[in-house]
Amino acid sequence: MKKFDIIEHTADIGIVAYGTELKEAFANAAYAMFTLIADLEDVKEVVCRQIEVEAGDRESLVVSWLNELLYLFDVEGVIFKRFKVMELSETSLKAEGYGELIDKARHSLKAGVKAATYYMLRVEKDNGYSVRVIFDV
Amino acid sequence: MARWEGPLKKIDDYRWEIPQSYKSGMRVPGLIYASEEMLKSIREEQSLEQVANVAFLPGIVGYSLAMPDIHWGYGFPIGGVAATRVDDGVISPGGVGYDINCGVRLLRTNLRESEVRARIEQLLSELFVNVPSGVGSKGKIRAGKKEIDEIISKGARWAVERGFGTKEDLEVTEEGGCLKGADPDKVSFKAKERGSPQSGTLGSGNHFLEVEVVEEIYEPGIAKIMGIEEVGQVLLLIHTGSRGLGHQVCDDYVRTLREVVQRYDINLPDRELACAPVKSKEGQNYLAAMACAANYAWANRQCITHWARECFVKVFGKSLRQIGLEMVYDVAHNIAKMESYQVEGKRLDLCVHRKGATRAFPAGHPDIPSRYKEIGQPVLIPGDMGRCSYVAVGTERAMKESFGSVCHGAGRVKSRHAARRLQRDADVARELASRGISVRAASKGGLAEEASEAYKDVTEVVEVCHQAGLCRKVVKARPMGVVKG
């Protein structure tokens, strides 16, 4: 099963992430976002961060989750490449993110992602789950 | 993305209306400034639907406006302008965007093309090293907690007090480089944490430093007052914003205001349009935080200006005075401002949202620097890195029609991914080099994404604004060296 697709958007960029379970779709959405930021094959799994977020509903939780990761990227310089969503409800999420601190000598950085937005935001259950997000880049 | 099939009524060659009847809930019609030719590509995406959605905002007056560089955004279209009544209207953080006070600053020099061309590679290398750029870059200023509060309270003034620039710089910066009403207590700790290491950084994406040469002067008298005297003269253009601090402020307040929308029972077709009454506590808190982010951006452009000046001095071995690297103007193009307009015979206090649009005040307006009182406020309109940029001035017509606003750039036509599929970085660099434009880029894929083909032709965009009377073209400049973030 593929992890995600890119949505073409003129100024910005979007993703649809998939998962047999919702937890997996959330994890894949985060993975997709970091593929926009850096070439993840060069990134090692040497640091781990615990992430806990809350939001008013399931869709907003996607935005809160992704923006929390962008905050950690900005402040601590962590490029995440793998995610384990441990607990997930309609309004809260607990997860672990694994990755490495930015090393400009080894890492190939691509576009900056400013934020995950609420525009066209959707969480759907079909054959498995999908999460759609548009980013401001 | 589907083509937009909604109704457009032609008003004249440059004005098109989306009738209020298009969608139930629209409080005003939409008005798009574009040529018939440009509309073909505009219709290929959903930006016009976004113009209609913005018309839902409570208290919106006149029209939901779109400039000819309109393209598909999130919530608001990019190139969108909406004015809401301060008394009973709303403020929408989405109408400002995540990059609060993203803007442009133009400097002029006494240098001529031949002199700069001989050292362009050295100049770009210096700029590339001295102005931190790219994803994840850290600035040279490591602002502590107290200093961040100073930056966001004082804006460019903070930078000038630190020795980064002069008082004259502040005089020719919109709002003097410091938007009133900034309250650091309304900015989250997280936003300050994000802002702390990034102060004095260019960022990535479409942010840039561009060394340009004057190609054409349409209004020599006006250009002279701006310090632009002749064809061949070299200019410097800086494009960046409020970095992670602004992004976090927007995210924080869109989240808060989404709850407010439910409480006030405001009917919105898109969650990203989350808003609050301008006079509500939540609305006022956002405006105080937005002012902080705007100030951060002005401080950012001021610090970058200082380092750019150092680079010019080093590379050309002349004093700053001899080089004459002086500011023409600095404008915000993602911002909400409290301004007063005559609407249907009445003076109204309005909250003007400019999301990818530039303020364009005419000659004589009290809010423009004394130096420009006779000519009007300079409007800076960068194009893509392969074509050209324009300097224009605001007009009375813009005051009457578009809440003193005009376009802000070229506007994208191709997605970043489509642009990347078309060409690689190296191809873009080679092609630009063959036309005398040198480049440095911090991000992989950055050049391909920003290639000329991904943008509308800024000349067409500016022509529409000029013909529609929203601004007057003054100067056209073409790039000779670009540092991309």
Side-chain angles (χ1 to χ4, degrees):
Chain A
M1 185 179 190
K2 66 178 166 186
K3 288 183 172 178
F4 69 92
D5 280 315
I6 295 286
I7 304 170
E8 299 278 340
H9 181 286
T10 325
D12 298 306
I13 204 160
I15 55 112
V16 190
Y18 309 100
T20 41
E21 284 184 58
L22 189 56
K23 283 179 179 173
E24 189 186 356
F26 267 65
N28 284 341
Y31 175 79
M33 180 172 79
F34 277 92
T35 64
L36 303 176
I37 296 172
D39 279 340
L40 296 183
E41 53 266 38
D42 308 328
V43 177
K44 294 177 196 157
E45 288 184 28
V46 288
V47 298
C48 171
R49 292 286 180 276
Q50 316 283 329
I51 297 123
E52 284 188 43
V53 288
E54 290 184 356
D57 54 56
R58 203 165 59 171
E59 270 84 13
S60 310
L61 195 60
V62 174
V63 170
S64 296
W65 156 239
L66 298 175
N67 283 342
E68 182 70 13
L69 294 167
L70 290 177
Y71 155 78
L72 288 169
F73 174 74
D74 260 9
V75 171
E76 296 189 27
V78 188
I79 309 173
F80 291 103
K81 70 175 300 187
R82 191 166 66 84
F83 305 87
K84 202 166 140 193
V85 178
M86 271 107 65
E87 289 175 36
L88 183 62
S89 73
E90 286 288 303
T91 57
S92 73
L93 170 149
K94 275 188 190 173
E96 282 177 354
Y98 304 89
E100 190 181 6
L101 297 180
I102 297 174
D103 175 354
K104 287 205 165 179
R106 275 195 305 109
H107 295 145
S108 174
L109 291 157
K110 301 192 281 191
V113 174
K114 289 174 185 161
T117 76
Y118 294 89
Y119 179 62
M120 286 174 65
L121 180 64
R122 189 173 291 169
V123 177
E124 269 183 339
K125 186 173 189 288
D126 197 0
N127 290 328
Y129 288 85
S130 69
V131 169
R132 182 178 70 187
V133 197
I134 306 288
F135 298 103
D136 182 358
V137 295
Chain B
M1 179 43 65
R3 197 182 135 79
W4 191 77
E5 300 289 359
L8 274 178
K9 198 175 92 191
K10 182 173 179 173
I11 297 175
D12 61 28
D13 285 351
Y14 305 106
R15 289 172 179 78
W16 308 78
E17 186 184 295
I18 303 176
Q20 197 179 334
S21 58
Y22 167 56
K23 262 176 135 173
S24 144
M26 284 174 72
R27 293 166 191 263
V28 292
L31 179 63
I32 295 98
Y33 292 91
S35 64
E36 190 151 14
E37 189 59 31
M38 294 173 100
L39 273 179
K40 288 179 192 161
S41 70
I42 293 171
R43 270 190 182 275
E44 290 302 320
E45 49 173 32
Q46 289 298 306
S47 56
L48 296 174
E49 190 66 20
Q50 295 182 321
V51 174
N53 290 346
V54 168
F56 279 62
L57 291 176
I60 187 170
V61 298
Y63 289 96
S64 165
L65 294 162
M67 295 298 147
D69 48 341
I70 180 179
H71 56 282
W72 189 26
Y74 45 85
F76 269 61
I78 297 159
V81 177
T84 51
R85 284 186 298 269
V86 169
D87 275 345
D88 61 348
V90 294
I91 167 81
S92 173
V96 173
Y98 288 86
D99 198 356
I100 296 167
N101 189 6
C102 183
V104 229
R105 170 175 290 216
L106 180 70
L107 294 102
R108 48 82 68 203
T109 72
N110 295 330
L111 302 170
R112 295 294 171 265
E113 182 177 4
S114 56
E115 191 177 354
V116 175
R117 190 164 292 288
R119 297 188 190 177
I120 189 73
E121 297 302 332
Q122 195 192 341
L123 178 62
L124 292 183
S125 298
E126 278 297 324
L127 289 169
F128 195 62
V129 169
N130 281 308
V131 180
S133 62
V135 185
S137 55
K138 306 270 187 221
K140 293 186 267 193
I141 301 161
R142 287 306 175 90
K145 201 174 172 304
K146 223 179 131 196
E147 192 139 46
I148 273 287
D149 283 357
E150 289 244 320
I151 295 174
I152 62 184
S153 302
K154 293 182 175 175
R157 255 178 38 218
W158 167 86
V160 169
E161 282 170 14
R162 286 257 314 227
F164 298 141
T166 65
K167 280 196 180 121
E168 288 72 35
D169 294 343
L170 301 179
E171 280 165 22
V172 283
T173 301
E174 185 172 331
E175 298 295 333
C178 177
L179 192 56
K180 286 185 200 71
D183 180 355
D185 291 344
K186 299 296 184 281
V187 176
S188 68
F189 179 64
K190 273 182 155 180
K192 293 176 189 176
E193 272 186 293
R194 285 178 83 167
S196 174
Q198 294 181 342
S199 189
T201 62
L202 193 62
S204 65
N206 60 359
H207 294 156
F208 61 75
L209 301 173
E210 188 166 292
V211 181
E212 340 186 288
V213 53
V214 174
E215 186 172 81
E216 206 171 342
I217 300 179
Y218 308 98
E219 303 258 11
I222 293 177
K224 194 158 190 278
I225 292 171
M226 296 180 187
I228 301 172
E229 287 108 11
E230 59 180 10
V231 169
Q233 187 177 347
V234 171
L235 311 174
L236 176 70
L237 196 60
I238 300 169
H239 179 214
T240 185
S242 53
R243 314 285 288 111
L245 186 136
H247 312 163
Q248 188 70 43
V249 165
C250 183
D251 182 46
D252 289 342
Y253 281 91
V254 171
R255 193 174 314 175
T256 312
L257 265 49
R258 288 195 49 229
E259 291 153 23
V260 176
V261 166
Q262 289 167 3
R263 185 149 28 95
Y264 285 86
D265 199 22
I266 299 171
N267 167 31
L268 295 173
D270 178 351
R271 289 179 180 210
E272 193 65 32
L273 293 175
C275 56
V278 177
K279 288 196 161 167
S280 67
K281 187 170 138 253
E282 295 86 352
Q284 288 297 311
N285 287 350
Y286 168 70
L287 285 166
M290 182 206 75
C292 286
N295 291 343
Y296 182 94
W298 273 313
N300 198 21
R301 291 198 285 275
Q302 187 64 45
C303 293
I304 290 173
T305 300
H306 176 72
W307 297 321
R309 283 174 170 152
E310 288 184 340
C311 295
F312 272 75
V313 166
K314 186 173 172 192
V315 170
F316 295 99
K318 290 181 174 179
S319 71
L320 193 55
R321 199 189 172 84
Q322 285 171 317
I323 295 169
L325 192 56
E326 285 156 16
M327 271 184 64
V328 173
Y329 203 61
D330 176 307
V331 285
H333 54 221
N334 284 356
I335 203 156
K337 302 283 284 282
M338 301 301 145
E339 293 165 3
S340 165
Y341 289 89
Q342 203 74 23
V343 182
E344 288 161 8
K346 271 195 297 190
R347 199 81 199 162
L348 288 180
D349 287 328
L350 300 174
C351 172
V352 182
H353 300 71
R354 297 193 179 95
K355 172 72 188 295
T358 315
R359 195 184 75 173
F361 283 170
H365 194 287
D367 289 347
I368 59 178
S370 51
R371 190 172 138 193
Y372 296 135
K373 276 269 151 42
E374 305 286 313
I375 61 170
Q377 176 216 307
V379 173
L380 313 174
I381 310 163
D384 65 78
M385 61 185 172
R387 289 194 181 104
C388 56
S389 294
Y390 287 87
V391 183
V393 282
T395 63
E396 278 299 336
R397 183 108 192 225
M399 291 304 282
K400 290 197 182 83
E401 263 188 42
S402 62
F403 307 104
S405 311
V406 74
C407 62
H408 85 307
R412 288 190 79 93
V413 280
K414 276 201 172 59
S415 76
R416 292 170 196 270
H417 256 65
R420 272 192 198 218
R421 275 196 303 269
L422 221 58
Q423 294 177 91
R424 294 188 318 183
D425 286 343
D427 304 326
V428 176
R430 204 174 308 121
E431 205 269 327
L432 288 170
S434 75
R435 291 190 291 124
I437 305 166
S438 303
V439 288
R440 297 285 184 283
S443 314
K444 186 182 175 191
L447 288 179
E449 287 183 5
E450 294 295 319
S452 281
E453 292 77 2
Y455 284 89
K456 295 181 199 183
D457 186 347
V458 68
T459 298
E460 289 173 32
V461 169
V462 172
E463 202 54 35
V464 168
C465 293
H466 179 86
Q467 294 296 338
L470 300 184
C471 65
R472 275 166 74 194
K473 288 190 293 184
V474 179
V475 170
K476 178 184 182 186
R478 66 184 148 77
M480 57 188 295
V482 184
V483 173
K484 273 280 173 194

